[in-house]
Amino acid sequence: MNVRAKLGLATACVAALALSACGSDSLSGEPAGESAPSVSVSSDADLASQLPQEIRDAGVIKVGTDASYAPNEFLAGDGKTVQGMDVDVFNAVAAKLGVRAEFQPADFSSIITGVQGGKYDVGVSSFTINDERKQQVNMVSYFSAGTQWATAAGNPESIDADNACGKTIAVQTGTVQETDDLPARQEQCGDDKIEVLQFKGQDQATSAVVTGKADAMLADSPVVAYAVKQSAGKLETLGDIYEAAPYGYVVPKEETGFADALAAALEAVQADGSYEAALTKWGVEQGAVTDFAVNP
């Protein structure tokens, strides 16, 4: 399920379509007709005391993120600033902890390794929580999403998500759609295999469907919904959302106290309204959760 760069120019929006905020009011990339949440977030001394000393001293949480996954995390019109639902929620979390978040774009498949090696303090990039990842790192739940398919408008290749054998399907490398979903479907295909086109970024997978290089794609449900909305009628969803599961922040395995602090900070931003405001801003409030847990 789980399952990303904004080019900023109108012509590029046709090529990348669902990735950037082409339907935004300005280069800020905010959803058209909407503004940033006005909820004020104040820090909490007790929460801040739970941070690793190195982070408290620096005053910064270094965040690894794949900025090609609109509306969750993607580049604004300046081509540098990372924005999106995940960014707004985690900025509020960091504020509760008395520090700021510094988002560093990275390939999705490299983020967990980067967290394990100390390059990033945390990974915030729409990571679906699963057993394999929990064996590598701690994961703090904060959102829920399922998998959704999409095709070109009108489904010209008559794609059936339950029988995609012989079709060309685009997917982002490292997502649960690529590692779990498609392999399971492939086993049912016999000799008529699915041709899987793997891309580093979800923006590239989306573009492959728009340009006809791929017959369909699958990704996380809020990402597909946003892609369809931004495509100016060139894409449509296919079938129902399935296999909903929580997203989680990625934290080093040894940093259980840090993970607990993030969960507590999430509870605090939910209580003050900034969590709901951030989700509503990006049109993904249906994924809100009420239980923020470490390794659920």
Side-chain angles (χ1 to χ4, degrees):
M1 252 174 307
N2 229 287
V3 255
R4 305 160 167 228
K6 170 158 170 85
L7 301 180
L9 300 175
T11 53
C13 289
V14 174
L17 274 172
L19 170 61
S20 62
C22 300
S24 65
D25 287 330
S26 69
L27 288 180
S28 70
E30 291 180 355
E34 300 182 24
S35 59
S38 59
V39 177
S40 176
V41 180
S42 58
S43 63
D44 184 306
D46 289 337
L47 291 178
S49 69
Q50 299 178 48
L51 284 174
Q53 188 64 49
E54 183 178 350
I55 294 177
R56 277 189 280 167
D57 291 343
V60 174
I61 300 176
K62 296 177 293 183
V63 183
T65 192
D66 172 14
S68 73
Y69 215 50
N72 297 352
E73 46 269 335
F74 63 113
L75 295 179
D78 61 7
K80 299 177 182 179
T81 304
V82 184
Q83 63 181 4
M85 176 276 288
D86 266 344
V87 176
D88 288 349
V89 172
F90 196 79
N91 277 338
V93 167
K96 282 293 181 189
L97 295 168
V99 294
R100 65 180 178 86
E102 179 183 280
F103 288 85
Q104 301 179 9
D107 289 342
F108 182 71
S109 59
S110 72
I111 295 172
I112 290 179
T113 302
V115 170
Q116 291 173 314
K119 183 177 182 179
Y120 314 116
D121 298 315
V122 62
V124 180
S125 201
S126 305
F127 282 98
T128 299
I129 297 176
N130 59 31
D131 290 340
E132 181 181 354
R133 288 172 177 161
K134 286 192 291 185
Q135 290 175 5
Q136 301 173 289
V137 291
N138 290 309
M139 303 197 76
V140 183
S141 61
Y142 66 93
F143 189 78
S144 179
T147 290
Q148 176 81 71
W149 286 60
T151 67
N155 193 6
E157 299 302 320
S158 300
I159 301 299
D160 178 358
D162 293 328
N163 182 13
C165 302
K167 303 297 185 180
T168 302
I169 308 300
V171 69
Q172 184 182 17
T173 300
T175 62
V176 295
Q177 287 85 8
E178 186 261 336
T179 60
D180 299 343
D181 194 318
L182 286 176
R185 295 175 188 276
Q186 197 77 283
E187 291 179 0
Q188 310 302 317
C189 289
D191 294 332
D192 190 23
K193 296 295 186 183
I194 300 170
E195 182 181 356
V196 179
L197 299 184
Q198 300 175 357
F199 297 93
K200 283 188 175 182
Q202 178 58 41
D203 54 324
Q204 298 166 319
T206 299
S207 181
V209 179
V210 171
T211 59
K213 185 176 181 180
D215 300 323
M217 68 177 186
L218 66 164
D220 287 358
S221 51
V223 172
V224 171
Y226 189 82
V228 171
K229 182 178 179 180
Q230 297 295 316
S231 73
K234 291 182 169 57
L235 295 174
E236 64 180 40
T237 58
L238 174 68
D240 297 326
I241 297 170
Y242 59 93
E243 293 185 358
Y247 284 173
Y249 297 149
V250 172
V251 180
K253 199 67 174 174
E254 66 275 12
E255 296 285 2
T256 54
F258 183 23
D260 288 337
L262 291 175
L266 282 162
E267 291 178 354
V269 298
Q270 181 189 50
D272 71 16
S274 50
Y275 173 76
E276 182 181 359
L279 269 56
T280 301
K281 170 184 171 181
W282 295 101
V284 296
E285 60 272 19
Q286 71 277 7
V289 298
T290 57
D291 184 24
F292 306 103
V294 178
N295 298 326

